[in-house]
Amino acid sequence: MRFSLKTLLWGTLAIALLIVVVLSLNPKPVSVQAALVKTGPLRVTVQEDGKTRIREKYTVSAPVSGRLSRIELNPGDHLTEKTLLAVILPSDPAILDKRALAEANAQVQSAEAALMRANSRVEQTRINADLSETKFIRAQKLADNRAASREEYDIAKAERLLAKQEIETAEFEVEIAKFEVKMAQAALDQFSTDDDQLSLQPFEIFSPIAGRVLRVMQESSTVVGVGTPLIELGDPSNLEIEIDVLSTDAVRIQTGAELTIEHWGGNTPLRANVRVVEPGAFTKVSSLGVEEQRVNVIADFNEPPERIAALGDGYRVEAKITVNEIDNALLVPNSSLFRHDRRWHVLAMDGGVAELTPVKIGLQNEEQTQILDGLDEGARVIEYPSDQLQPGTRVKIESAP
């Protein structure tokens, strides 16, 4: 059988047309990234910048007026309770009278009353601590028997931690009150009556606490009045964390909530617990010029002292505060979700074909989202779906977990 050139040409065109039709009916699969729908823990956090601060600072002020001698201490110097801080040469005794002596006596009485009040507060905090310890032990037993919720246990744990911190604060206030009594008494002792004439001696001020110098307000010799701040002291090992968050986030944060401290300069994150969410908010202007209502969250480190030894007062930290946590949640990456017809959807893979699937979501963090309905564990969803993908589009996995 002989074929003419014309017949061969028409046959070639027919085959080419057939190939085009087949390719158009079966387009090349689109390469996609896919992720497995899996069960795992989900931690929802509030992430904000914060700073460290020394829990108890003490500002030493001038108890008498006069000429201050130059303070030789520098920020960072270590102190004991016997370290001499400053010396004040009192004002000209000729201007002193009986009224000055009466005022010094009143200062002593006021300081003694403050000391009694501080001692009473210590007793109150110890009673509260005993009660908090009893509640914590009870909550721990109930939680072990699954008779109490995790939230009730966390609240009892936080109250126990707060009670311990209140004892430390109250005891610190007692030490400061004792120092104030000594200063007031020393100021009174500077008055001496000799032939009905009042005279004063140089007044020495010693450190009320063991710690370090944080700031020197008056370095040079100068004339100071009563109450003039001279030097600020504190213990850098006694640190807490101050984080300001949006007021809408603050209502989600519970006392005792766990948080991690990142980007603080160390190799691994630090752990801490929220001690208190302050009840008052304040206005702060964001970097974009928007006024925001912010709330301070105060947290305590849950680390051994050597882990935070490198930190000091006012150091910047980045905190992630846990506001919700689920041990077993059905999870998909956030990159697979998109809105369609006012509902959340994903493109699920079914036999190499993209299928539009509506889903109901629950909790969500920066990376993953909880799926309440619409998907089963083990299914695959397409990440970062592009405009090339439509329901029914053939797909192939480019990279998969």
Side-chain angles (χ1 to χ4, degrees):
M1 182 180 298
R2 295 182 178 180
F3 295 94
S4 65
L5 181 61
K6 184 177 181 179
T7 303
L8 182 61
L9 180 59
W10 280 107
T12 302
L13 291 174
I15 293 173
L17 181 61
L18 180 62
I19 292 173
V20 172
V21 172
V22 171
L23 290 177
S24 64
L25 294 177
N26 296 280
K28 182 180 178 181
V30 178
S31 296
V32 297
Q33 295 183 19
L36 277 174
V37 180
K38 56 185 179 181
T39 300
L42 180 66
R43 180 172 175 244
V44 183
T45 63
V46 171
Q47 183 173 338
E48 290 286 356
D49 289 342
K51 62 181 179 181
T52 60
R53 69 181 188 186
I54 294 177
R55 183 176 289 111
E56 303 293 350
K57 297 180 184 179
Y58 187 80
T59 300
V60 177
S61 301
V64 295
S65 60
R67 174 164 290 278
L68 171 71
S69 298
R70 180 176 177 83
I71 296 179
E72 302 295 337
L73 296 171
N74 297 307
D77 288 350
H78 290 269
L79 303 168
T80 67
E81 294 183 2
K82 296 182 180 180
T83 302
L84 178 64
L85 300 180
V87 176
I88 298 177
L89 301 176
S91 303
D92 187 356
I95 66 173
L96 299 175
D97 54 17
K98 297 294 183 180
R99 186 179 64 179
L101 179 60
E103 289 177 350
N105 271 307
Q107 289 291 336
V108 171
Q109 295 174 8
S110 176
E112 289 175 344
L115 177 59
M116 293 176 60
R117 183 170 61 250
N119 283 322
S120 176
R121 173 163 167 73
V122 169
E123 294 302 320
Q124 292 176 3
T125 56
R126 286 175 178 168
I127 293 172
N128 291 335
D130 291 340
L131 179 59
S132 299
E133 184 70 25
T134 302
K135 288 182 177 180
F136 173 74
I137 294 173
R138 186 184 302 117
Q140 191 174 37
K141 291 180 179 179
L142 293 174
D144 292 340
N145 297 327
R146 298 187 177 181
S149 65
R150 179 71 182 180
E151 182 179 358
E152 292 173 333
Y153 171 77
D154 290 339
I155 291 175
K157 182 179 178 181
E159 289 178 349
R160 177 195 185 206
L161 178 63
L162 179 59
K164 290 183 178 180
Q165 294 296 337
E166 287 179 344
I167 289 178
E168 293 182 7
T169 300
E171 290 176 343
F172 182 83
E173 290 174 354
V174 168
E175 295 302 317
I176 296 302
K178 289 180 179 178
F179 173 75
E180 296 289 356
V181 170
K182 290 180 181 179
M183 288 294 99
Q185 186 63 51
L188 178 62
D189 292 342
Q190 297 301 307
F191 289 84
S192 63
T193 54
D194 184 15
D195 297 331
D196 294 330
Q197 296 292 324
L198 294 174
S199 62
L200 290 174
Q201 302 299 320
F203 192 91
E204 295 180 336
I205 304 175
F206 294 89
S207 174
I209 61 172
R212 299 178 72 179
V213 176
L214 302 180
R215 192 157 57 105
V216 179
M217 290 84 156
Q218 298 288 343
E219 294 184 356
S220 302
S221 176
T222 184
V223 175
V224 296
V226 176
T228 302
L230 304 178
I231 188 169
E232 187 177 56
L233 314 176
D235 182 3
S237 65
N238 190 16
L239 288 176
E240 62 185 10
I241 312 157
E242 179 188 75
I243 312 134
D244 65 278
V245 303
L246 289 171
S247 58
T248 51
D249 289 331
V251 298
R252 302 159 57 199
I253 299 173
Q254 300 294 325
T255 301
E258 296 181 354
L259 64 144
T260 56
I261 304 299
E262 301 178 349
H263 303 131
W264 60 279
N267 296 325
T268 57
L270 299 173
R271 296 169 299 168
N273 292 93
V274 173
R275 185 171 86 243
V276 64
V277 179
E278 293 185 354
F282 57 92
T283 302
K284 183 178 180 181
V285 179
S286 70
S287 57
L288 299 177
V290 179
E291 287 191 353
E292 300 174 336
Q293 290 303 111
R294 314 285 291 190
V295 177
N296 281 332
V297 176
I298 310 301
D300 296 314
F301 283 104
N302 187 16
E303 296 284 354
E306 58 271 14
R307 281 271 285 154
I308 60 174
L311 291 172
D313 185 51
Y315 283 36
R316 177 193 174 276
V317 295
E318 186 177 291
K320 288 185 176 180
I321 308 172
T322 301
V323 296
N324 214 325
E325 195 168 11
I326 302 176
D327 294 331
N328 293 294
L330 194 63
L331 303 174
V332 298
N334 293 341
S335 56
S336 65
L337 290 163
F338 58 91
R339 297 285 288 181
H340 178 68
D341 290 339
R342 298 184 180 180
R343 292 189 61 186
W344 286 106
H345 288 74
V346 297
L347 286 176
M349 293 183 61
D350 185 8
V353 177
E355 295 290 343
L356 184 64
T357 306
V359 293
K360 183 179 180 182
I361 67 172
L363 298 179
Q364 187 176 41
N365 62 16
E366 296 83 4
E367 299 176 353
Q368 296 176 308
T369 299
Q370 178 190 17
I371 298 298
L372 302 177
D373 189 33
L375 290 172
D376 296 323
E377 185 176 5
R380 288 189 181 274
V381 294
I382 298 173
E383 295 187 86
Y384 311 104
S386 66
D387 294 338
Q388 293 179 293
L389 300 177
Q390 300 292 333
T393 302
R394 293 179 61 208
V395 294
K396 66 176 181 179
I397 297 176
E398 181 181 89
S399 61

